Amino acid sequence: MTVITVNTAKDRLSLEQRRRLAETLTDAVLVPEVGQYAPAARPGFQVHFVEREPDMMAIGGRLLTDTQPQPDVMLIDVAVMDADWRQDVRTEVIERILAAMADTCGLPKPSPAWWVNFRVIDEGSWGASGSVLSILSLLGTGVFTDEKTKAIHTAMGV
């Protein structure tokens, strides 16, 4: 299970861009997390778009409304369940997210003011369906590759 929150200035992303990002950002995390493209895993991913007025965002100690031209500021927060998140996997996810953002926004590369936070939620700290969930309980769903299942077991000491 994963939550991706895209924080932007108001009206930065169009409805069509949000539709596209809902899919491409999901896949940007899904593929490295489960080890393959697995549409059956998509219900375990949420993408939230949060817009803020430019006077509610600052960079470099200045509100965006006080900076001309206004910088293209975004914060993409990715929260994932504890699993196989070695540095190379985290790097892949962050690079895939930034590439999806740039592609959707029609830019050759991401803005330097687009930042990604990657957070791993400790085992036993993710709740859904009225209970605490574990990545281990999801391994039998058939969406994880055998290689990824072994890597998760190793990472979690199982």
Side-chain angles (χ1 to χ4, degrees), residues 5-147:
T5 306
V6 181
N7 298 276
T8 65
K10 187 168 175 49
D11 299 324
R12 170 58 179 92
L13 300 172
S14 69
L15 175 59
E16 206 47 51
Q17 287 173 317
R18 291 190 307 273
R19 281 188 177 119
R20 184 169 175 201
L21 287 169
E23 183 175 337
T24 59
L25 293 177
T26 293
D27 291 343
V29 182
L30 183 152
V31 172
E33 183 172 6
V34 304
Q36 64 184 345
Y37 175 70
R42 280 190 168 162
F45 290 74
Q46 293 185 17
V47 179
H48 297 237
F49 297 95
V50 179
E51 294 184 325
R52 291 186 170 81
E53 294 292 338
D55 64 349
M56 299 299 286
M57 298 173 72
I59 190 166
R62 298 189 64 195
L63 292 175
L64 296 187
T65 54
D66 298 337
T67 306
Q68 295 301 325
Q70 284 188 8
D72 188 12
V73 173
M74 287 191 208
L75 173 63
I76 301 105
D77 184 73
V78 182
V80 298
M81 295 177 83
D82 195 5
D84 174 38
W85 295 113
R86 297 166 310 212
Q87 185 58 57
D88 62 314
V89 179
R90 293 174 193 222
T91 298
E92 179 184 357
V93 168
I94 291 168
E95 289 173 351
R96 289 170 60 98
I97 286 171
L98 289 168
M101 294 297 303
D103 184 57
T104 298
C105 292
L107 298 173
K109 64 181 184 174
S111 163
W114 295 358
W115 298 349
V116 178
N117 287 338
F118 189 99
R119 297 182 299 121
V120 177
I121 307 303
D122 291 337
E123 177 68 14
S125 298
W126 195 289
S129 303
S131 184
V132 173
L133 295 182
S134 168
I135 194 77
L136 299 173
S137 64
L138 302 175
L139 295 179
T141 61
V143 299
F144 293 85
T145 63
D146 289 341
E147 179 181 304

